[in-house]
Every structure is written in structure tokens, then in C-alpha cells.
Amino acid sequence: MLLLALALVSCKIQVKLNASSIDYTKIKTITIADFPNRAALVYSPLSQMFTEELRDIFSRQTRLISVTRNGDYQLEGEITEYALTPMAIQSDAYAAETRLTVTVRVRFVNNQNHNEDFESNFSAYRNFDSSKMITDVQDELIGEIIEEITDAIFNKVAVNW
């Protein structure tokens, strides 16, 4: 019994919550440019909210040092869509729901391995009851959408999905 207890105490279990595949011996810095809002319909705080959340996710989940230019990793792009679309048309020809969609075009450059460079669009949406004004639900929905898009970008860059 004593030997079993000692064996269990001496075992070290390590769980890695961040499945990042970044080689920190080669990749040390990241540059994330501002993402301007180029969508036809503009929600003015969206650009800053998105850019800050993208910077925050890399700051929280990696050891990369943020630099203003010439990082080992470079992310830039623009918000290309902020759209409201009627959904679930009822018999009275009014929409029961409205869909808020945000799309972001991202260009990623890995200055240590250009085979990993990419340009992709990332999009997410949320539906809300059409009886509500967009101004009443916009901040909450935008927060959820930004979190989903930045998670997807992080996964593609840092986890190589």
C-alpha cells in the first residue's frame, strides 16, 4: 500500500489547455494591424472591438510579444460585411427573425515559414427576434460574433487547423 501511495504521489499529471503548435524557439513576436471596417453598413465601434479582441486572444493564449511592425507572425485585414438579413418570413410577409452577420478578411504571414501564409474570410452570425430593435441587442450579439471569429482565427494561426 505504501509503495502504491508513493508511486501515485510521485506521478506528475500535466494537462495542456492551450493546444498551440507555435514553435517559440523560432516565433517570438506578432504584429496585429488595425482591422478597418469596409462593410457597406457600418457599426462604428466594430473595428476597434474586433482588433482589440484579436490582440487579447493572442496575448492571453500565447507567449508571443506584440510588436507594432515586422513581427514573426503578421495579421492584417478588414471587416468586409456587417449585414442584417430578414429570416423566417411569416404568413403576413414579415420576418420573425433577423440575422446579423459579420465577415472579416484576414491575411496571415508567417515570416519564418511562408508555407503557412494564408488569406481567408471568417464569418459568424446571430439571429434575434425581429420585434427587437438592433440597437437593443447589437452589443451583446457583436460580442458573441467577435469571440467566435477571433477563436477561429486563433485556431487557424496557432493550432494549424
Side-chain angles (χ1 to χ4, degrees), residues 11-158:
C11 288
K12 181 179 178 183
I13 298 174
Q14 183 178 15
V15 177
K16 188 174 183 184
L17 297 176
N18 181 354
S20 173
S21 64
I22 298 171
D23 181 355
Y24 291 107
T25 62
K26 295 178 184 174
I27 308 296
K28 297 183 181 345
T29 60
I30 187 168
T31 300
I32 300 176
D34 290 336
F35 280 68
N37 193 342
R38 305 233 191 276
L41 182 61
V42 174
Y43 176 55
S44 56
L46 180 59
S47 174
Q48 181 178 355
M49 290 169 66
F50 176 80
T51 302
E52 289 306 314
E53 181 61 27
L54 189 59
R55 288 176 179 149
D56 285 350
I57 195 170
F58 278 91
S59 174
R60 285 189 317 265
Q61 297 189 28
T62 71
R63 297 187 316 234
L64 297 176
I65 298 166
S66 181
V67 294
T68 56
R69 56 184 202 178
N70 300 327
D72 296 320
Y73 279 176
Q74 294 179 342
L75 281 164
E76 64 178 25
E78 55 275 335
I79 298 163
T80 59
E81 181 183 24
Y82 177 89
L84 296 167
T85 309
M87 305 297 290
I89 305 300
Q90 300 172 337
S91 60
D92 60 3
Y94 289 102
E97 288 185 328
T98 302
R99 176 170 289 173
L100 173 60
T101 304
V102 175
T103 303
V104 179
R105 180 178 300 123
V106 175
R107 289 175 294 283
F108 170 70
V109 175
N110 179 342
N111 285 314
Q112 302 301 321
N113 181 3
H114 287 289
N115 291 330
E116 294 180 1
D117 295 359
F118 68 82
E119 182 170 341
S120 286
N121 289 323
F122 294 86
S123 188
Y125 66 87
R126 293 293 183 273
N127 293 345
F128 64 95
D129 191 309
S130 291
S131 67
K132 296 180 181 176
M133 298 292 295
I134 183 64
T135 54
D136 295 336
V137 296
Q138 185 167 234
D139 288 336
E140 178 183 349
L141 299 178
I142 288 296
E144 294 172 7
I145 289 170
I146 287 173
E147 183 177 347
E148 183 176 330
I149 292 174
T150 55
D151 282 347
I153 294 167
F154 178 83
N155 285 333
K156 182 149 184 168
V157 169

